[in-house]
């Protein structure tokens, strides 16, 4: 059977939801949690746990810390992104420092992207 996710990762996802990074907490509690289009935290997709997922826009948001910019991290992320995008999903990678220094701009971009990707966007600007 071709599953959409690996059920053995569900307990790991629950743990990650309870132990979000500072940047994940900021984005979740100060924007995504009350956003008019539903986002899910730490969603299992295929053999991966993604930071945030919006079903309506088929959008995944990944917040990247410094380990993602080392050679090994870049390669793993490239493979991961390619596999996830093969499921007709869009992956948005946001560096943690953008959350810390340009939070308003990040939120505006997420809103714009949800509008672009959704059949029925939450609101027209």
């Amino acid at each position: 059977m071709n599953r959409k996710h690996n059920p053995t990762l569900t307990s790991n996802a629950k743990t990650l939801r309870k132990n979000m990074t500072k940047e994940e907490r900021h984005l979740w509690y100060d924007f995504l949690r009350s956003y008019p289009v539903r986002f899910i935290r730490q969603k299992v997709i295929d053999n991966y746990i993604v930071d945030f997922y919006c079903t309506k826009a088929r959008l995944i948001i990944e917040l990247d810390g410094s380990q993602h910019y080392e050679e090994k991290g870049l390669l793993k992320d490239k493979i991961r992104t390619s596999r996830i995008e093969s499921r007709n999903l869009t992956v948005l990678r946001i560096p943690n420092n953008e959350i810390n220094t340009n939070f308003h701009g990040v939120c505006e971009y997420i809103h714009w992207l949800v509008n672009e990707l959704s059949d029925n966007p939450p609101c027209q600007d």
Side-chain angles (χ1 to χ4, degrees), residues 1-81:
M1 177 184 345
N2 183 11
R3 293 185 179 264
K4 291 184 180 180
H5 75 277
N6 181 342
T8 62
L9 293 176
T10 303
S11 65
N12 291 0
K14 287 179 184 177
T15 300
L16 289 170
R17 277 193 292 275
K18 291 177 184 175
N19 298 299
M20 290 190 293
T21 66
K22 176 181 73 141
E23 291 80 11
E24 288 170 344
R25 279 193 309 275
H26 185 23
L27 184 60
W28 177 252
Y29 287 108
D30 298 329
F31 183 65
L32 293 177
R33 183 174 74 161
S34 59
Y35 190 68
V37 177
R38 184 170 184 243
F39 275 84
I40 301 167
R41 296 179 292 158
Q42 306 303 331
K43 170 78 172 157
V44 178
I45 296 179
D46 200 9
N47 285 314
Y48 304 105
I49 301 171
V50 301
D51 293 335
F52 301 101
Y53 175 61
C54 175
T55 304
K56 183 174 183 171
R58 300 189 58 79
L59 173 65
I60 291 168
I61 299 173
E62 291 282 86
L63 301 187
D64 292 345
S66 60
Q67 73 277 12
H68 291 270
Y69 298 101
E70 298 168 1
E71 188 175 339
K72 186 177 180 182
L74 288 168
L75 179 60
K76 287 174 97 173
D77 286 345
K78 184 177 180 179
I79 293 166
R80 174 186 172 109
T81 298

